Amino acid sequence: MVSLNAYAGTSSSRSVIKYKPSNSSKLKRSTNTSVHVAIPERDNGILSVTESTAGSTLYRPAASYLSSSKAASSVVPSEVNARPQRSESLGTLLLSCPDQKGVIAAVAQLLFGFGCNVVSSDQFSELDTNMFFQRVVFDYSECIVGPGNTAVLERAISDLANRFNMTWKICYKNKMKRIAILVSKQDHCLYDLLIRFKSGEMPNLEIPVIISNHPDLEYIADKFDLEFKCLPITDKGQKQTQELEIEKLVESYNVDFIVLARYMQIFSADFCNRHWHHTINIHHSFLPAFEGARPYHRAHERGVKIIGATAHFATSELDAGPIIEQAITRITHRDSVEDMIRKGRDLERLVLSRAVRLHLEDRVMVHGNKTIVFED
């Protein structure tokens, strides 16, 4: 039997509503399960949700994460049935774990238990590997421990993650993401990103620095009033030193991720191993075809009928990192190499900007050498 009990009122006076499925219900469970939803009590203002199956507790009540009774008494409960308004206090939870029953319910109940409202949820189960992936956007403006006390919520999520063998991360909309853009001499991807940035298409983005191995594009940084750092490589012996300088800049500017906007240098394996998971590269071909240099020339020689562009994470294996975004366009026998380069640059702009936006909105998860991308 499955029962849903809702308790309202003070500890001395509660009303109970029970739901029992009818005989025609198809719901069958091997064990008796009760889901208890405790409406915020006026005497302590604490909301807790607990699911018990065969005596096991799904997670600790929200009140137990508060450090003192004083903190608990200072919490003011919100109206349970109040319709949520548009809020800037939004968090995005990305999680993955072995596919199993109860994950979606447990996450939703935990967030509800802390007074959060789920704004959107998307999930995917990969049958081949028995893995589950989920992206949950939630409003924590009425979190019962206070919207400025997200560490308490994260502690509860960590406890839940231990139960389900879950890998997770949480990001907040009101925290700006800072990127370093790396370029060489070609300007089309850089211009496109900066125009989108200035026009407000990427509102939670900051660009503290543009880094290049050539001085050619400094004038673009000046136009957009952005910092430009030139780290030239005059001989192969300088490459390691230059990479160390890039890492120092990334650290000093508190950069969250790196965007290679046609940066025509191959990073060392050591650099890639440290930074690949937050480094996005744009490659001017429809990978895995024509990896490496001069893909348009090789595609022309091969007589292809489509060309493409690929945004991927920059791993130590050249142009073989997990793919984030791709696009293609048609080619005919009339197209010259120059035509293909022109058409390909349009794709490069579009694909790189899409990949950056997906990353900014926390829609990308990596699994092995593939990505799970939750589209908007």
Side-chain angles (χ1 to χ4, degrees):
M1 181 185 72
V2 179
S3 64
L4 175 63
N5 300 340
Y7 301 101
T10 63
S11 57
S12 59
S13 174
R14 300 178 186 267
S15 60
V16 180
I17 301 173
K18 292 187 176 182
Y19 167 73
K20 297 181 180 180
S22 64
N23 294 334
S24 60
S25 173
K26 296 181 179 179
L27 177 62
K28 294 183 179 180
R29 297 289 294 270
S30 58
T31 58
N32 292 335
T33 302
S34 296
V35 180
H36 303 278
V37 182
I39 306 303
E41 297 184 2
R42 299 302 177 182
D43 53 354
N44 61 19
I46 300 303
L47 178 68
S48 65
V49 179
T50 305
E51 178 183 298
S52 300
T53 302
S56 63
T57 301
L58 186 63
Y59 63 89
R60 294 161 51 191
S64 66
Y65 290 97
L66 296 175
S67 58
S68 66
S69 59
K70 180 179 179 181
S73 64
S74 66
V75 178
V76 179
S78 61
E79 293 298 327
V80 175
N81 61 350
R83 185 175 181 84
Q85 302 298 315
R86 185 175 182 87
S87 172
E88 293 301 314
S89 298
L90 296 178
T92 301
L93 174 63
L94 296 175
L95 61 93
S96 62
C97 64
D99 197 5
Q100 56 199 297
K101 295 178 181 178
V103 178
I104 297 175
V107 172
Q109 289 169 1
L110 186 148
L111 292 173
F112 175 72
F114 274 83
C116 301
N117 179 55
V118 174
V119 176
S120 67
S121 178
D122 196 0
Q123 60 274 335
F124 168 70
S125 293
E126 187 175 67
L127 301 181
D128 293 341
T129 59
N130 194 40
M131 288 295 295
F132 174 79
F133 305 87
Q134 187 177 19
R135 176 182 184 268
V136 183
V137 179
F138 61 94
D139 180 355
Y140 61 94
S141 60
E142 297 183 358
C143 182
I144 64 170
V145 295
N149 199 10
T150 54
V152 179
L153 173 62
E154 291 176 23
R155 181 180 165 195
I157 294 173
S158 179
D159 286 351
L160 185 68
N162 291 336
R163 175 185 173 94
F164 288 101
N165 192 23
M166 183 187 296
T167 299
W168 64 280
K169 76 170 184 176
I170 193 167
C171 303
Y172 300 99
K173 183 179 179 180
N174 57 12
K175 183 184 183 300
M176 304 293 286
K177 290 186 171 66
R178 297 166 63 84
I179 71 169
I181 302 178
L182 272 63
V183 294
S184 288
K185 293 184 176 182
Q186 297 187 43
D187 61 4
H188 56 289
C189 286
L190 176 62
Y191 258 128
D192 184 76
L193 286 174
L194 296 184
I195 290 171
R196 293 177 188 273
F197 167 63
K198 287 295 185 181
S199 66
E201 287 188 27
M202 302 174 180
N204 62 329
L205 173 66
E206 291 180 351
I207 305 176
V209 65
I210 298 171
I211 304 171
S212 180
N213 57 324
H214 296 284
D216 302 52
L217 303 185
E218 185 173 4
Y219 74 96
I220 298 178
D222 293 339
K223 285 182 179 180
F224 288 87
D225 195 27
L226 296 172
E227 193 76 21
F228 184 90
K229 299 291 185 181
C230 182
L231 303 175
I233 303 175
T234 56
D235 60 68
K236 292 183 178 180
Q238 287 185 314
K239 190 170 184 63
Q240 184 177 5
T241 302
Q242 192 244 21
E243 288 184 357
L244 291 174
E245 291 298 319
I246 291 175
E247 288 187 299
K248 288 180 182 178
L249 289 173
V250 167
E251 183 177 353
S252 64
Y253 282 98
N254 195 25
V255 167
D256 295 303
F257 67 101
I258 301 168
V259 176
L260 308 181
R262 294 305 303 274
Y263 181 69
M264 307 307 289
Q265 288 290 318
I266 299 174
F267 286 123
S268 67
D270 288 341
F271 185 95
C272 290
N273 290 336
R274 289 192 295 271
H275 300 285
W276 72 266
H277 58 286
H278 55 243
T279 301
I280 298 174
N281 181 51
I282 182 67
H283 182 67
H284 43 309
S285 79
F286 190 67
L287 291 175
F290 305 114
E291 74 280 358
R294 295 169 64 85
Y296 294 127
H297 294 77
R298 288 184 286 142
H300 185 266
E301 292 171 1
R302 184 64 182 83
V304 302
K305 301 307 178 188
I306 62 170
I307 58 170
T310 304
H312 63 94
F313 288 105
T315 59
S316 57
E317 187 177 354
L318 181 63
D319 297 329
I323 293 172
I324 304 169
E325 181 62 83
Q326 291 182 295
I328 59 170
T329 191
R330 296 288 303 178
I331 294 296
T332 75
H333 58 278
R334 299 181 185 276
D335 287 310
S336 64
V337 171
E338 289 73 22
D339 293 329
M340 294 170 70
I341 291 174
R342 172 179 54 81
K343 292 181 179 182
R345 284 179 175 175
D346 288 341
L347 295 176
E348 293 163 32
R349 295 183 185 98
L350 181 62
V351 170
L352 182 58
S353 66
R354 282 179 179 172
V356 170
R357 181 179 57 81
L358 289 168
H359 202 66
L360 287 172
E361 296 178 358
D362 306 301
R363 295 180 178 276
V364 182
M365 300 182 69
V366 177
H367 177 54
N369 199 43
K370 300 192 298 184
T371 59
I372 287 82
V373 178
F374 294 108
E375 297 285 353
D376 57 0

